Amino acid sequence: MVLFQLRAQDIPVDSTGYKSRKLKVEEVNLVSSYYTQNGDHSAVTGGIGTQKLTDIANTIDVKMVKYGQTGIKHTFDIEAGIDHYTSASSDMIDLSANSSASSSDNRFYPSLTYLRENEQKGQTLGIGVSSSTEFDYQSFGGNISFSQKTKDRNGEFSARFQTFIDQLKLVKPDELRPGGEGYGSAGRNTFAGTLSYSQIINQRLQVLLVGDLISQNGYLSLPFHRVYFSDGTVHQEKMPDTRFKIPIGIRASYFMGDNIIIRAYYRYYTDSWDLKAHTADLEIPVKITQAFSLSPFYRYYSQSAAKYFKPYGGHSQSDEFYTSNYDLSKFNSSFVGMGLKLTPPDGIFGLKHWNTLEIRYGHYTRSNDLTSDIVSINIKYR
């Protein structure tokens, strides 16, 4: 995240200055993170048991820009990431051998985005593609977007449509695989539309309104999640094959002089599984010196339970759909942490173009006994 960034509308458009028509690298971001969690409600073992997991992620994001003969700005954003995770809960998919193909895995996720911006008209068109690959999951995505600034450049309307076409490998718990049968497969589709409007109220206050409509269909269960019924029998998680989600939110940024920004965010969420949630987020970047800033942040989240959730041993044969995944239970959570940003005049380690170093740490606690920690490092080249 870039702090204290000049807003585009604060920079006058130079229609006479030279703009390179050659494709050049404008920005490179190298991001690494380490995530660890623990808890006692693993869905793999029916809502009980360890949720211990670690994940190491590395991504590189390269943004390249050129101007066409008519002055149109063309931006190409290429990103590639790879994660490696180990999961004690996934290691329990095969109880008899205490080992499974999903106890550790790698995920690779490249993406490409193209933006065509008419700076004179304040209009931007975009298109993008992405994919994500791991042992039991393959996803392909596409998106298109449009944004239009108001005549005074103080407001901007944006629209975005995304789709994800996924294929899941049906890795069942071992006792539900009669005769050691192989893995089947199933599809899942997601379609999401987003509308947003941002407005500069005055020199200090900027507000963003955003709403989403999300539709999913296909296989929406996770095949390796067990559900234990009240009669002691074990079953594979079963969820409806459709889900409709509506999140709406408002974000505000208030500039308190040159050294402090207050960023606040609220979101309300509801879906067709009767899950409702509230999110409140606050971050206050503070510039200590010209080259050093701190950003304390806090996020509070609360949700009701989905109507298909019951804990271990809570479901019965009369239930049409069932899950003991505590991500769908009633809970509240807190996420608190600090960001540190360095922008030395001579660059990071004296390398002029590597001009920004960000380190962020966050601690997460959930009322149903899940805790996690994440550390991330971002080095920027401009």
Side-chain angles (χ1 to χ4, degrees):
M1 185 187 302
V2 180
L3 307 180
F4 306 102
Q5 181 178 353
L6 286 175
R7 294 165 293 173
Q9 58 272 12
D10 294 333
I11 305 172
V13 176
D14 181 3
S15 59
T16 61
Y18 172 75
K19 296 179 179 179
S20 174
R21 294 181 183 174
K22 293 182 178 180
L23 188 63
K24 65 176 184 178
V25 174
E26 182 179 69
E27 182 176 303
V28 178
N29 283 281
L30 302 175
V31 182
S32 294
S33 67
Y34 175 77
Y35 172 85
T36 180
Q37 75 170 38
N38 211 339
D40 298 312
H41 294 292
S42 169
V44 176
T45 44
I48 60 173
T50 179
Q51 291 173 277
K52 189 173 183 180
L53 179 146
T54 62
D55 182 89
I56 299 173
N58 295 282
T59 63
I60 179 170
D61 179 44
V62 180
K63 184 181 294 183
M64 297 181 291
V65 173
K66 68 168 291 186
Y67 283 85
Q69 292 183 356
T70 58
I72 300 298
K73 182 180 180 181
H74 303 273
T75 302
F76 300 87
D77 196 338
I78 304 169
E79 183 174 355
I82 186 168
D83 293 4
H84 175 76
Y85 75 83
T86 59
S87 171
S89 61
S90 294
D91 199 38
M92 302 302 291
I93 294 175
D94 290 350
L95 291 174
S96 57
N98 195 32
S99 175
S100 81
S102 294
S103 60
S104 66
D105 200 2
N106 298 305
R107 182 171 73 99
F108 179 59
Y109 44 102
S111 66
L112 172 63
T113 302
Y114 166 69
L115 298 175
R116 182 185 186 277
E117 181 180 1
N118 187 323
E119 294 177 331
Q120 198 169 40
K121 293 183 178 180
Q123 187 179 94
T124 303
L125 297 171
I127 186 170
V129 292
S130 64
S131 73
S132 179
T133 303
E134 52 191 301
F135 168 73
D136 58 351
Y137 198 85
Q138 176 70 62
S139 176
F140 294 99
N143 66 81
I144 55 174
S145 61
F146 169 81
S147 65
Q148 176 68 61
K149 290 183 171 66
T150 58
K151 289 184 179 180
D152 61 5
R153 297 298 196 266
N154 285 333
E156 183 174 25
F157 168 82
S158 298
R160 181 181 176 91
F161 175 76
Q162 300 179 83
T163 183
F164 298 95
I165 309 301
D166 305 337
Q167 196 70 21
L168 295 83
K169 188 176 291 186
L170 300 180
V171 182
K172 298 180 181 180
D174 59 346
E175 69 270 36
L176 300 177
R177 272 182 260 147
E181 65 181 24
Y183 304 133
S185 64
R188 173 188 300 167
N189 304 317
T190 301
F191 305 95
T194 302
L195 296 176
S196 66
Y197 181 76
S198 64
Q199 177 69 42
I200 297 174
I201 307 300
N202 53 46
Q203 289 184 340
R204 293 185 179 274
L205 180 62
Q206 183 172 351
V207 175
L208 170 71
L209 300 173
V210 60
D212 297 283
L213 293 174
I214 303 166
S215 175
Q216 291 184 293
N217 63 75
Y219 189 85
L220 303 185
S221 309
L222 284 173
F224 45 83
H225 284 181
R226 293 178 175 87
V227 178
Y228 288 89
F229 282 15
S230 55
D231 60 6
T233 58
V234 60
H235 301 259
Q236 186 181 14
E237 179 183 85
K238 182 182 179 183
M239 302 298 280
D241 59 7
T242 60
R243 190 178 187 184
F244 190 68
K245 308 176 182 179
I246 305 177
I248 54 174
I250 179 171
R251 186 184 302 277
S253 297
Y254 184 76
F255 297 81
M256 297 181 62
D258 296 330
N259 297 325
I260 299 177
I261 304 173
I262 299 176
R263 292 191 175 120
Y265 174 71
Y266 170 77
R267 188 186 80 156
Y268 173 75
Y269 170 94
T270 184
D271 68 23
S272 59
W273 292 1
D274 283 356
L275 194 153
K276 303 182 189 307
H278 302 269
T279 304
D281 185 278
L282 183 67
E283 182 168 1
I284 306 177
V286 179
K287 184 180 289 186
I288 308 300
T289 69
Q290 193 64 27
F292 175 63
S293 62
L294 293 174
S295 301
F297 59 86
Y298 176 75
R299 183 179 72 230
Y300 177 79
Y301 176 84
S302 176
Q303 76 171 39
S304 63
K307 59 185 174 182
Y308 309 116
F309 170 83
K310 288 180 183 177
Y312 183 95
H315 285 284
S316 66
Q317 297 288 348
S318 63
D319 293 333
E320 181 182 6
F321 301 109
Y322 34 85
T323 180
S324 294
N325 180 0
Y326 271 73
D327 289 345
L328 297 174
S329 71
K330 180 180 180 179
F331 68 84
N332 57 68
S333 67
S334 294
F335 184 57
V336 61
M338 178 73 73
L340 178 154
K341 181 181 178 183
L342 290 171
T343 55
D346 297 328
I348 305 299
F349 308 121
L351 302 173
K352 184 177 180 180
H353 288 290
W354 294 98
N355 64 354
T356 303
L357 171 66
E358 276 192 272
I359 302 173
R360 292 176 70 87
Y361 166 75
H363 176 70
Y364 176 82
T365 57
R366 207 160 84 175
S367 58
N368 52 17
D369 301 323
L370 180 71
T371 61
S372 67
D373 297 272
I374 184 168
V375 179
S376 63
I377 299 175
N378 179 13
I379 301 177
K380 186 186 299 292
Y381 171 96
R382 285 186 70 95

